[in-house]
Amino acid sequence: MPRFSVLLLGGLLAGCSPAPDATDLRESAQTTGLWFVHDAGRSGKLLLPEITGSGVGLIDYDSDGDLDVFFAQGAAPGTRGEGNRLFRNELVPTGELGFVDVSATAGALGDGFAMGVSTADIDNDGDTDLFVSGVGRDYLLRNDDSTFVDITAMAGVDDPRWNGSASFADIDNDGDLDLFVTAYVDGWSDQARGCNNQTGAEDYCSPGNFEPTTDRLYRNDGDGRFRDITAVSGIDAAAGAGLGVVAGDFNGDDRVDFYVANDQTANHLWLQTETGRFTEQALMRGSAYNADGRAEASMGVTVADIDGNGADDLFMTHLNNESNTLYLNDGRGAFREVTDRFGLGSTSLPYTGWGANWVDLDHDTDLDLYIVNGSVMTSATQGETPYGQHNQSYDWVEGRYELTIETSLADNGRGAAFGDIDNDGDIDVVVNNNNGAARLYLNSVDGGGNWLVVRLQGSGGNRAGIGARVELQTAAGTFSRRVATDGSYASAGDHRVHFGLADSSVADIVVRWPGGEREAFDQVSVNQHVVLVRGTGRPAP
């Protein structure tokens, strides 16, 4: 897999020279008009939300074919703050990438301290809607012809707790997307609780100083209302300091499961049973703790089938002095921690990781790994930027990951969303930095590598095919991706699935739709964005 380098506004960073067929990630936020500065709401009281940051979402809110950007904004305790922001992508119809802030005209976007961003078409009207979780207030924003309407109270999904990430998935295969929301900790606003760092100075408290709580699961009733089924589904059986969440079928039974990354408490693997209830099985299936049997400060989480056995593997980001963690799935929902074996251990120890994703950055068919970092303590920073750390990119080289670049920008990274923002066929990255300016890293694969971007269109409910799996068969091999927007850290990515295909010029595609139906689409040409409509292919065994 070729190495790649990161460029800032067109200038080469850190003395790295791009190799032939390199991938260039150019920081382009300001030059494209994507100017957003996150407010951590620092009050001088050292409240924990000030260091957790906020996420970012990619959403084609106006259905014009390009990805717009939604930023979750912070706020000082007890204030409304500046409110969340929406930037419209002008690529369609102008033909040139550029963003316009449409927050003032896009309707209700929510305010206060917003943390997580999740996207889905909750009412199957063809418009993508928004769920924004936060500290003391959540928002469900219905998209009505490119104008957002706050339906939180009517929908029954408001929650006064501190909530982290969320995931939309169709848990009962009725065509309506249900909602899983992680909850963080209780008691964080208690001013009588003081904490000190290793030097003895007053500092932010650890989440271990507060009480973990239970996550929440809502069933979509299909009429704009959601029903809280946390208790009847079994999700209230275990508590944790939930930050990241992903949906998937982790044990291969065609039922939706959830994996939750908990901060300094055991992670949760919620497997769905035949009765529709969920049981927490992370400990017995090897994904609750690291290989040393310790709970880590899990923040971000991402899933992909990196070893080609048809089952999704798990990757989590953690605090500095804790390595990030990779679990391989044996195909039946049993996991094995293989972080060091795959080269992802020691290189992550100096960093505090947040948003992350497996993506093929250089179109050689292998999944690379991009990680956004930012400290929660000044003693672990790099350079002159308070809390600043470098983002990392890993290449897949002969069966393990190799750290190929650390960006020269030392930011306080948190949420990261991945998708083809300029519609040129490769994966770009938007980062929401805590108490700092956002970044847009535009990717340019220099020198070749074919690609294919697939968008699913369901019939009836679940129009985006969330939860489906797309499998490509090419001369270079067989590759599969899940259709989802969840994962990373408190962020929502592009629901279109991207494949790097190296020299392959044509692909046979099999879609495994939610519920298990398989449909084949033969001899699809590469280097295009293609829409696959359910019912227009042929049945696949």
Side-chain angles (χ1 to χ4, degrees):
M1 180 179 287
R3 295 174 179 266
F4 61 93
S5 56
V6 176
L7 304 184
L8 170 60
L9 300 178
L12 190 63
L13 293 180
C16 297
S17 300
D21 298 340
T23 297
D24 292 336
L25 293 172
R26 297 174 181 266
E27 205 295 298
S28 308
Q30 190 168 355
T31 59
T32 58
L34 196 64
W35 182 244
F36 172 81
V37 179
H38 180 265
D39 176 15
R42 292 177 180 168
S43 63
K45 298 179 181 179
L46 298 177
L47 297 175
L48 193 56
E50 297 171 7
I51 58 174
T52 58
S54 304
V56 55
L58 301 181
I59 173 174
D60 184 6
Y61 90 102
D62 51 2
S63 301
D64 66 350
D66 56 32
L67 292 171
D68 313 297
V69 182
F70 180 93
F71 287 104
Q73 179 62 287
T79 70
R80 298 180 62 180
E82 298 180 3
N84 305 316
R85 300 272 291 279
L86 177 65
F87 290 81
R88 186 180 65 218
N89 191 341
E90 299 291 285
L91 181 64
V92 177
T94 67
E96 183 175 348
L97 182 67
F99 292 92
V100 174
D101 188 341
V102 295
S103 307
T105 60
L109 299 181
D111 53 32
F113 197 108
M115 191 166 171
V117 183
S118 306
T119 60
D121 183 0
I122 63 168
D123 49 6
N124 290 313
D125 66 348
D127 296 326
T128 303
D129 310 296
L130 279 165
F131 179 79
V132 184
S133 54
V135 181
R137 176 71 202 271
D138 296 337
Y139 289 94
L140 182 60
L141 307 175
R142 187 182 65 209
N143 187 349
D144 290 345
D145 296 325
S146 304
T147 300
F148 289 99
V149 178
D150 184 354
I151 64 167
T152 312
M154 180 196 78
V157 296
D158 198 7
D159 188 344
R161 302 179 301 165
W162 179 357
N163 292 322
S165 301
S167 173
F168 282 101
D170 187 1
I171 62 173
D172 49 9
N173 285 323
D174 65 351
D176 298 318
L177 292 172
D178 311 296
L179 177 63
F180 189 107
V181 185
T182 67
Y184 195 40
V185 293
D186 289 334
W188 59 271
S189 59
D190 182 2
Q191 294 306 303
R193 194 191 310 256
C195 297
N196 302 92
N197 61 25
Q198 294 175 345
T199 67
E202 188 179 10
D203 207 341
Y204 292 99
C205 289
S206 162
N209 290 79
F210 308 105
E211 292 298 320
T213 186
T214 55
D215 301 323
R216 190 153 289 181
L217 180 61
Y218 300 96
R219 173 170 286 136
N220 187 341
D221 285 339
D223 57 357
R225 291 176 172 82
F226 288 73
R227 184 157 40 100
D228 186 344
I229 61 169
T230 306
V232 298
S233 67
I235 295 297
D236 65 345
L243 284 178
V245 60
V246 285
D249 177 12
F250 294 109
N251 57 352
D253 63 357
D254 287 329
R255 286 187 284 268
V256 172
D257 312 307
F258 294 99
Y259 187 85
V260 180
N262 289 317
D263 191 358
Q264 297 188 12
T265 56
N267 297 320
H268 292 158
L269 175 63
W270 294 103
L271 297 183
Q272 188 176 178
T273 69
E274 294 179 356
T275 63
R277 286 180 59 84
F278 290 82
T279 61
E280 203 292 293
Q281 299 186 29
L283 180 59
M284 71 175 63
R285 291 179 177 267
S287 58
Y289 303 104
N290 66 7
D292 297 326
R294 293 185 296 108
E296 296 177 292
S298 300
M299 271 84 82
V301 58
T302 184
V303 301
D305 178 15
I306 67 165
D307 56 358
N309 69 344
D312 278 330
D313 310 299
L314 291 162
F315 177 81
M316 266 149 294
T317 55
H318 296 120
L319 195 68
N320 65 295
N321 296 323
E322 299 177 346
S323 73
N324 296 328
T325 304
L326 170 62
Y327 296 100
L328 283 187
N329 187 344
D330 70 351
R332 298 179 298 277
F335 292 88
R336 182 163 46 97
E337 208 241 88
V338 293
T339 309
D340 290 329
R341 185 184 122 198
F342 279 73
L344 294 171
S346 60
T347 53
S348 64
L349 287 174
Y351 297 92
T352 294
W354 300 86
N357 202 4
W358 272 306
V359 286
D360 185 356
L361 289 169
D362 50 13
H363 293 175
D364 69 347
T365 74
D366 296 321
L367 287 171
D368 311 304
L369 187 59
Y370 190 91
I371 303 168
V372 171
N373 297 310
S375 182
V376 295
M377 58 189 75
T378 55
S379 61
T381 61
Q382 297 157 0
E384 299 179 355
T385 304
Y387 305 101
Q389 293 187 335
H390 306 297
N391 299 338
Q392 296 171 292
S393 294
Y394 289 84
D395 240 349
W396 179 259
V397 180
E398 296 180 354
R400 58 186 280 120
Y401 282 99
E402 179 180 305
L403 179 62
T404 55
I405 200 70
E406 295 176 344
T407 63
S408 70
L409 288 172
D411 285 325
N412 195 11
R414 294 297 187 268
F418 299 78
D420 187 3
I421 293 171
D422 50 7
N423 282 345
D424 66 348
D426 50 37
I427 294 295
D428 313 298
V429 188
V430 181
V431 180
N432 194 354
N433 289 312
N434 191 47
N435 214 50
R439 303 293 186 189
L440 168 61
Y441 292 102
L442 291 179
N443 189 5
S444 177
V445 180
D446 180 20
N450 293 326
W451 55 270
L452 190 64
V453 175
V454 178
R455 179 167 69 87
L456 298 187
Q457 183 174 314
S459 56
N462 192 2
R463 294 172 61 135
I466 299 297
R469 181 168 291 277
V470 180
E471 180 181 281
L472 256 67
Q473 298 173 350
T474 73
T478 299
F479 316 99
S480 69
R481 307 279 190 271
R482 70 185 188 112
V483 180
T485 64
D486 60 8
S488 187
Y489 173 76
S491 298
D494 192 351
H495 73 270
R496 302 173 297 185
V497 291
H498 168 269
F499 295 86
L501 298 175
D503 296 329
S504 298
S505 59
V506 68
D508 293 328
I509 301 177
V510 174
V511 177
R512 186 184 183 114
W513 296 96
E517 178 189 349
R518 293 168 60 88
E519 188 173 11
F521 300 83
D522 301 323
Q523 297 295 288
V524 178
S525 298
V526 302
N527 296 332
Q528 65 165 327
H529 285 75
V530 63
V531 179
L532 302 181
V533 181
R534 188 169 189 171
T536 62
R538 62 175 178 82

